[in-house]
């Protein structure tokens, strides 16, 4: 029998040093640059929102925004088209923050009254921040009709959510019987007004402001020994006197 000599193992192929394999990138090409650009664009919007809140929309120029950021005016055009677009993006940011916070509180579940309180806390906190404050102080009257319509649609979504939570709270017995529409208007109106008078660095923190306002809205201001709510009657409209012709 003839012995068969085992074949020698093949030597591994050496990779060319001239063309080493490229390391796998954790993110697609250009994403870092895009993130940097987005961060700078957000800085432009933040500075603009602060100036709009301090001086008003019409009294703020692109030169003012550029000076706040210590950049030249032409630099701004790399991130935004004009001042109208800046305002649109600022108020959109405020609305988006509110909607996302409200959606998160709804997704967390629980009783309607607990969800309502969480939504109120979200709303009150955001109107003390730059974009939320801009949404309240400047509003949407300065925007083009198409943008104004879209933003009012988003505002309506927030109002409808408050109405739903109030109605659910009444149904579950955690809230006193009331008109959900009127109650939602009162809640949103009271919390929105925080964005007009609140000043950062003042006597109260945003959390303290929110807590006190929400406690007042939920508990009222009248002291009731028996827990009964006094009836508030609407005034009877005065009759208009007829003016006799001469």
């Amino acid at each position: 029998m003839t012995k068969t000599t085992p074949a020698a193992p093949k030597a591994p192929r050496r990779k060319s040093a001239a063309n080493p394999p490229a390391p796998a990138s954790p993110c697609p090409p250009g994403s870092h640059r895009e993130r940097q650009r987005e961060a700078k664009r957000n800085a432009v919007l933040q500075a603009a929102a602060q100036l709009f809140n301090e001086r008003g929309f019409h009294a703020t120029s692109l030169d003012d925004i550029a000076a706040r950021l210590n950049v030249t005016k032409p630099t701004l055009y790399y991130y935004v088209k004009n001042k109208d677009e800046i305002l649109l993006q600022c108020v959109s940011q405020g609305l988006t923050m509110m909607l996302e916070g409200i959606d998160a509180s709804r997704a967390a579940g629980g009783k309607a009254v607990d969800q309502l309180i969480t939504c109120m806390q979200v709303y009150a906190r955001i109107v003390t921040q730059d974009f939320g404050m801009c949404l309240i102080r400047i509003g949407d009257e300065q925007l083009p009709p198409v943008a104004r319509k879209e933003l009012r649609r988003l505002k309506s979504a927030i109002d409808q959510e408050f109405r739903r939570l109030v109605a659910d709270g009444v149904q579950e017995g955690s809230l006193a019987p009331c008109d959900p529409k009127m109650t939602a208007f009162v809640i949103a109106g009271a919390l929105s007004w925080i964005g007009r008078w609140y000043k950062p660095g003042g006597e109260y923190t945003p959390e303290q402001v929110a807590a006190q306002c929400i406690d007042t809205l939920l508990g009222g201001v009248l002291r009731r020994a028996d827990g009964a709510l006094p009836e508030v009657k609407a005034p009877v409209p005065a009759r208009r006197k007829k003016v006799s012709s001469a």
Side-chain angles (χ1 to χ4, degrees):
M1 182 180 292
T2 307
K3 284 187 175 182
T4 305
T5 306
K10 294 182 179 180
R13 293 183 180 179
R14 299 183 60 184
K15 295 179 182 178
S16 172
N19 298 302
S25 175
C27 51
S31 62
H32 178 65
R33 181 179 298 176
E34 286 299 319
R35 286 198 300 269
Q36 283 188 323
R37 184 179 185 279
E38 187 63 21
K40 292 178 181 179
R41 184 172 179 276
N42 286 334
V44 171
L45 298 179
Q46 191 97 33
Q50 292 170 355
L51 286 167
F52 292 160
N53 294 333
E54 294 168 9
R55 307 180 184 182
F57 176 70
H58 291 298
T60 301
S61 66
L62 287 178
D63 289 312
D64 295 327
I65 299 171
R68 174 66 63 94
L69 292 166
N70 197 27
V71 299
T72 62
K73 182 178 176 180
T75 302
L76 297 181
Y77 291 113
Y78 182 69
Y79 305 102
V80 293
K81 294 179 181 178
N82 50 46
K83 199 170 76 166
D84 287 341
E85 187 200 3
I86 292 177
L87 177 60
L88 173 61
Q89 292 301 319
C90 286
V91 295
S92 295
Q93 287 262 28
L95 275 173
T96 299
M97 291 165 65
M98 287 181 181
L99 288 169
E100 288 178 348
I102 290 173
D103 286 344
S105 66
R106 180 174 56 188
K111 291 184 177 180
V113 66
D114 296 328
Q115 293 184 43
L116 176 62
I117 292 172
T118 303
C119 288
M120 292 168 71
Q121 291 170 335
V122 168
Y123 198 105
R125 183 179 70 250
I126 290 174
V127 297
T128 62
Q129 299 173 8
D130 292 328
F131 292 125
M133 199 179 295
C134 184
L135 172 65
I136 301 302
R137 293 189 179 185
I138 310 301
D140 53 24
E141 294 82 4
Q142 314 296 335
L143 297 172
V146 175
R148 189 186 313 144
K149 183 177 180 181
E150 174 62 15
L151 287 174
R152 288 180 178 176
R153 184 188 67 80
L154 296 175
K155 287 182 179 180
S156 177
I158 296 174
D159 172 62
Q160 292 298 323
E161 186 61 22
F162 273 123
R163 293 190 199 186
R164 183 189 70 81
L165 290 173
V166 170
D168 289 350
V170 172
Q171 186 175 5
E172 74 182 12
S174 58
L175 296 180
C178 61
D179 180 341
K181 177 180 178 180
M182 288 296 298
T183 303
F185 282 165
V186 170
I187 291 173
L191 297 179
S192 293
W193 204 251
I194 295 173
R196 291 190 176 272
W197 55 257
Y198 173 76
K199 290 185 178 180
E203 183 179 357
Y204 302 106
T205 65
E207 292 77 17
Q208 291 172 328
V209 169
Q212 291 194 46
C213 288
I214 292 171
D215 283 346
T216 301
L217 285 168
L218 293 177
V221 295
L222 294 177
R223 186 175 182 178
R224 301 180 294 275
D226 58 356
L229 181 65
E231 182 181 1
V232 180
K233 295 183 178 179
V236 178
R239 293 183 179 180
R240 297 182 63 182
K241 294 181 179 180
K242 292 183 179 180
V243 180
S244 59
S245 57

